[in-house]
Amino acid sequence: RWLKIVGGYLSKEKKPVPAGMFNMGQKIYFWIVTLGGLVMIFTSVVLYFVDFEIIRPVLEYYSISQIDFLRISALTHNIIGIVIVAMFMVHIYMSVFAIEGAYKSMIDGKMHEEEVRILHSTYYKELQEKGEV
């Protein structure tokens, strides 16, 4: 449901958004950075250190030439890097300009109650049930 409304960020209305402590955008960013980072490490090792004599049987089995393998590795590495940097820039914009108090909340870990109620409504309900709000 969070993805359908893009977390409510594109709307001027202040309706509660279904999200737990971490919203779907944060989770997607985490997994793209984590898995993408691992793929970038692998592709950089391929680009700089691989000995093609070791992987020649695999390349021959899949009918891939050495240069095509290097091209695929370089493209994969660069595309993932661009996606990670672009998402990072969007998150910087959102934390500094788009959401009031977001930058401060990242530093001290505290968020205004109204912001939690709107942007993390599921988590807000859990806090209410525990009596922490």
Side-chain angles (χ1 to χ4, degrees):
R1 294 188 310 158
W2 188 93
L3 286 173
K4 284 183 187 176
I5 59 174
V6 193
Y9 294 121
L10 302 179
S11 174
K12 296 280 184 189
E13 299 176 34
K14 290 200 171 204
K15 295 191 300 191
V17 178
M21 182 181 226
F22 299 103
N23 63 40
M24 185 57 75
Q26 292 166 321
K27 292 174 184 176
I28 289 171
Y29 182 64
F30 169 81
W31 284 111
I32 285 176
V33 169
T34 302
L35 298 177
L38 292 173
V39 171
M40 287 184 75
I41 290 169
F42 173 76
T43 56
S44 63
V45 167
V46 164
L47 291 169
Y48 290 106
F49 301 114
V50 80
D51 179 9
F52 284 102
E53 294 305 315
I54 294 171
I55 63 168
R56 184 177 307 280
V58 175
L59 295 178
E60 288 175 356
Y61 180 78
Y62 289 107
S63 301
I64 299 173
S65 67
Q66 291 178 4
I67 192 69
D68 286 339
F69 184 65
L70 286 173
R71 286 177 180 153
I72 291 167
S73 295
L75 274 172
T76 303
H77 186 86
N78 292 329
I79 289 170
I80 291 173
I82 289 169
V83 168
I84 289 173
V85 168
M87 290 182 76
F88 178 73
M89 291 171 62
V90 167
H91 278 85
I92 292 293
Y93 168 77
M94 289 174 61
S95 67
V96 175
F97 302 110
I99 302 170
E100 187 179 337
Y103 181 73
K104 186 175 183 297
S105 71
M106 286 190 295
I107 292 171
D108 64 13
K110 296 177 183 168
M111 197 174 202
H112 293 291
E113 185 175 339
E114 181 186 1
E115 293 295 322
V116 176
R117 185 178 54 78
I118 293 169
L119 295 176
H120 300 274
S121 65
T122 308
Y123 181 58
Y124 183 75
K125 289 175 188 171
E126 290 175 16
L127 291 175
Q128 279 183 322
E129 290 171 4
K130 292 178 185 176
E132 295 180 16
V133 178

